[in-house]
Amino acid sequence: MTEFALETLSTNRAHGGTQGVYRHASTATHTPMTFSVFVPEGEGPFPVLWYLSGLTCTHANVTDKGEYRAACAEAGIIFIAPDTSPRGEGVADDDAYDFGQGAGFYVDATQAPFAAHYQMRTYIEDELPSLIAQNFPADMTRQGITGHSMGGHGALTIGLRNPDRFKSVSAFAPICHPSQVPWGEKALGGYLGDDRQAWRDYDAVALIEDMTDDRRARVPSFLVDQGADDNFLAKQLAPEALATACADAGIDLRLRMQDGYDHSYYFISTFMADHIRWHAAKFHAV
Amino acid sequence: MTEFALETLSTNRAHGGTQGVYRHASTATHTPMTFSVFVPEGEGPFPVLWYLSGLTCTHANVTDKGEYRAACAEAGIIFIAPDTSPRGEGVADDDAYDFGQGAGFYVDATQAPFAAHYQMRTYIEDELPSLIAQNFPADMTRQGITGHSMGGHGALTIGLRNPDRFKSVSAFAPICHPSQVPWGEKALGGYLGDDRQAWRDYDAVALIEDMTDDRRARVPSFLVDQGADDNFLAKQLAPEALATACADAGIDLRLRMQDGYDHSYYFISTFMADHIRWHAAKFHAV
């Protein structure tokens, strides 16, 4: 099996394109990794929208419930949904829903026993993009990234660390300031250790605070939707800290509080098409 | 607990409206029955679209994967997804996926041990409409019905038996002629016994053949989508028999064979919005 050998688990025609689910042996996590890709009808190459999922999810949650295919078909966008952590018998885990398998937090872990497999930053930033570029009709010069909750944290931090790669960054109810909230303190402490300086590379607010002016100027626009009735809003998400950091740094953030919406896929699917159209406008604006 | 007491299991804001899941003690099935209802934003009353699910499904499959909420919100339509059978410890069952719990076939069973609870025709035709009318802002003078596979069979047969109740009938990959295919022969034989004359009330093609001219003239238009790559097409679905029966009877059937599509929710969700717009046009045409 070569580095990028790709196993097709399923393909189904949907909205004129193809919804596929694939598996490969990851060199970053040293495990099999599964992800889904929707490719619209036509020859491409198509711009790429990454979607990073939240706690407990696999690729399947958004693939089933995300309601993204109609809008991606219309805009001509490839939609990629990776898993949220390495998985399997030999992979360290935890009984909690918010740490271990299903909760990789998009970090490269440095602490035993997690460091052996929990290399999700390298997987999402380096390995999976190479595999996508080699196997799908993707225009890697036009990429956007989005995600939900823990995956919104992933989208914001990956977007901030790679301002030249992404034309657009959006998120649904992201964990904006993980180093200051219980979910993030547990995960960053567990994967990275007690030195909070090491956490700053995985905290959207801290990344903005630490940026050089030159780099800040290259950060793309952000779109964030947040349900006003989200049970996790007060304790875990901290969008106001993101708003303050963006305002101080001159980063263009459109933060929309959505009355009556919670943290579920009912919320995500309601605003998904709007996010896709927003990314599409950025892809086609240049 | 009165006859129509309704227990709310969950409500979530979605696409401006409310997606709810409810449970009640059914007098038809003598079991608790669960169903989902999407109500769009506004005061109503709203026309009602019934969606009957296929083998093995509960209300949850289409609620998660059906991609109906955006189109129902736009058209101002209530969407109702019942369960496919009675369920529970005291309810007769079968190890097969295509008989017993999850496979009620929308019939009133006459054979032991099924007759005690499998009264899905009465449940869907009589009991649940009364409950909906009493508890939701529904305009019961404007109803349409649709469904998938076994639920497409349900939609066609219920529509044919109640031509004055429904303004529109559609289906995704329906079992069009159950008395002549293995799924149907097993289910109708098991629930209704060996007398095939009794099956004709639950077979769309037979219902059309047996109709009086007066009744035929009142049957609403039919829209049917069928995936051309559906694994069950050749052996179980028989859309050609429905097409012949409708042509002979002068019933307006629009049957669309969809290249490359299979029997899954990827197929259903692709054409769901189109069906909803078609029903909406019928609701607003009078």
Side-chain angles (χ1 to χ4, degrees):
Chain A
M1 198 182 207
T2 68
E3 187 178 357
F4 291 134
L6 198 60
E7 179 186 2
T8 300
L9 299 184
S10 66
T11 59
N12 298 81
R13 191 165 196 207
H15 291 283
T18 302
Q19 178 64 63
V21 180
Y22 307 92
R23 184 167 55 198
H24 68 119
S26 167
T27 57
T29 67
H30 302 288
T31 63
M33 291 293 288
T34 300
F35 59 96
S36 84
V37 180
F38 175 73
V39 179
E41 194 164 27
E43 292 200 2
F46 302 103
V48 172
L49 180 59
W50 297 85
Y51 176 91
L52 304 183
S53 294
L55 288 167
T56 76
C57 291
T58 70
H59 71 283
N61 302 68
V62 73
T63 305
D64 287 349
K65 302 181 184 179
E67 301 190 15
Y68 58 81
R69 281 177 288 271
C72 285
E74 192 175 341
I77 291 175
I78 287 176
F79 188 99
I80 303 171
D83 203 346
T84 54
S85 79
R87 295 176 192 274
E89 295 235 342
V91 177
D93 199 5
D94 189 280
D95 287 340
Y97 77 98
D98 57 358
F99 191 63
Q101 296 188 32
F105 268 83
Y106 307 101
V107 308
D108 281 351
T110 57
Q111 304 299 300
F114 296 98
H117 297 290
Y118 285 74
Q119 301 294 318
M120 289 299 291
R121 172 182 177 167
T122 297
Y123 177 68
I124 299 289
E125 286 191 357
D126 298 333
E127 184 180 13
L128 195 52
S130 297
L131 186 145
I132 295 295
Q134 293 192 15
N135 289 278
F136 295 90
D139 176 0
M140 303 303 276
T141 69
R142 293 186 290 165
Q143 294 184 61
I145 191 164
T146 187
H148 172 234
S149 193
M150 176 183 76
H153 144 73
L156 294 173
T157 54
I158 292 170
L160 285 162
R161 288 196 307 262
N162 300 276
D164 302 321
R165 182 183 296 181
F166 298 102
K167 296 208 174 297
S168 46
V169 177
S170 79
F172 303 87
I175 305 172
C176 296
H177 202 7
S179 64
Q180 304 295 323
V181 304
W183 275 343
E185 290 183 294
K186 178 177 181 179
L188 298 179
Y191 295 133
L192 304 174
D194 293 335
D195 176 10
R196 287 180 173 243
Q197 190 61 33
W199 300 9
R200 297 185 68 81
D201 222 18
Y202 299 105
D203 181 301
V205 170
L207 280 164
I208 293 169
E209 291 170 352
D210 292 349
M211 269 184 174
T212 62
D213 289 347
D214 169 63
R215 198 177 174 88
R216 275 180 194 157
R218 301 190 335 259
V219 169
S221 298
F222 288 176
L223 170 65
V224 173
D225 275 312
Q226 173 61 57
D229 285 8
D230 185 328
N231 284 338
F232 300 110
L233 173 54
K235 195 170 166 191
Q236 303 282 10
L237 304 176
E240 67 290 346
L242 180 68
T244 300
C246 285
D248 289 349
I251 292 173
D252 176 32
L253 165 67
R254 188 168 173 198
L255 171 61
R256 307 189 297 198
M257 298 301 292
Q258 302 288 2
D259 281 348
Y261 286 92
D262 59 25
H263 202 67
S264 72
Y265 268 93
Y266 294 110
F267 157 66
I268 300 168
S269 61
T270 295
F271 298 101
M272 178 65 86
D274 198 40
H275 280 236
I276 289 166
R277 288 189 292 263
W278 183 83
H279 286 276
K282 306 289 180 186
F283 295 154
H284 297 120
V286 182
Chain B
M1 200 182 205
T2 69
E3 187 177 356
F4 290 134
L6 199 59
E7 179 186 2
T8 300
L9 300 183
S10 65
T11 59
N12 298 82
R13 191 167 196 204
H15 291 282
T18 302
Q19 179 64 63
V21 180
Y22 307 92
R23 184 165 57 196
H24 68 119
S26 167
T27 57
T29 68
H30 303 288
T31 63
M33 291 293 289
T34 301
F35 60 96
S36 83
V37 179
F38 175 73
V39 179
E41 194 164 25
E43 292 201 2
F46 303 103
V48 171
L49 181 59
W50 296 84
Y51 176 92
L52 304 183
S53 293
L55 289 167
T56 77
C57 290
T58 69
H59 72 282
N61 302 69
V62 72
T63 305
D64 286 350
K65 302 180 183 179
E67 301 190 17
Y68 58 82
R69 281 177 288 269
C72 284
E74 191 174 342
I77 290 175
I78 285 177
F79 188 100
I80 303 171
D83 203 347
T84 55
S85 79
R87 297 176 190 273
E89 295 236 341
V91 177
D93 199 7
D94 189 280
D95 287 340
Y97 76 99
D98 57 358
F99 191 64
Q101 294 187 32
F105 268 83
Y106 307 102
V107 309
D108 281 352
T110 57
Q111 305 299 299
F114 297 97
H117 297 291
Y118 287 73
Q119 301 294 318
M120 288 300 290
R121 172 182 177 168
T122 297
Y123 177 68
I124 300 290
E125 287 190 357
D126 299 333
E127 184 180 12
L128 195 51
S130 297
L131 185 146
I132 295 296
Q134 293 192 17
N135 289 279
F136 295 90
D139 176 359
M140 302 304 276
T141 70
R142 292 185 291 165
Q143 295 184 60
I145 190 165
T146 186
H148 172 234
S149 194
M150 176 183 76
H153 144 74
L156 293 173
T157 55
I158 293 169
L160 285 161
R161 288 197 306 264
N162 300 276
D164 302 321
R165 180 182 298 181
F166 297 102
K167 297 207 175 296
S168 47
V169 176
S170 80
F172 304 87
I175 305 172
C176 296
H177 202 6
S179 64
Q180 304 295 323
V181 304
W183 276 342
E185 291 184 293
K186 179 178 181 179
L188 298 179
Y191 296 132
L192 304 174
D194 292 335
D195 176 9
R196 286 180 174 243
Q197 191 59 35
W199 300 8
R200 295 184 69 80
D201 223 18
Y202 299 105
D203 181 301
V205 170
L207 280 164
I208 293 169
E209 290 171 353
D210 293 349
M211 267 184 176
T212 61
D213 289 347
D214 169 62
R215 198 178 174 87
R216 273 180 196 156
R218 302 192 331 261
V219 169
S221 298
F222 288 176
L223 170 65
V224 173
D225 276 312
Q226 172 61 58
D229 285 8
D230 185 329
N231 283 338
F232 300 109
L233 173 55
K235 196 171 165 192
Q236 302 283 10
L237 304 177
E240 66 290 345
L242 180 68
T244 299
C246 285
D248 289 349
I251 291 172
D252 177 32
L253 166 67
R254 188 167 173 198
L255 171 62
R256 307 188 297 198
M257 298 300 293
Q258 302 288 2
D259 282 349
Y261 286 92
D262 59 25
H263 202 67
S264 71
Y265 268 93
Y266 294 112
F267 158 67
I268 301 168
S269 62
T270 295
F271 299 102
M272 180 64 86
D274 198 39
H275 280 236
I276 290 166
R277 287 188 291 263
W278 183 84
H279 286 276
K282 306 289 181 187
F283 296 153
H284 297 121
V286 181

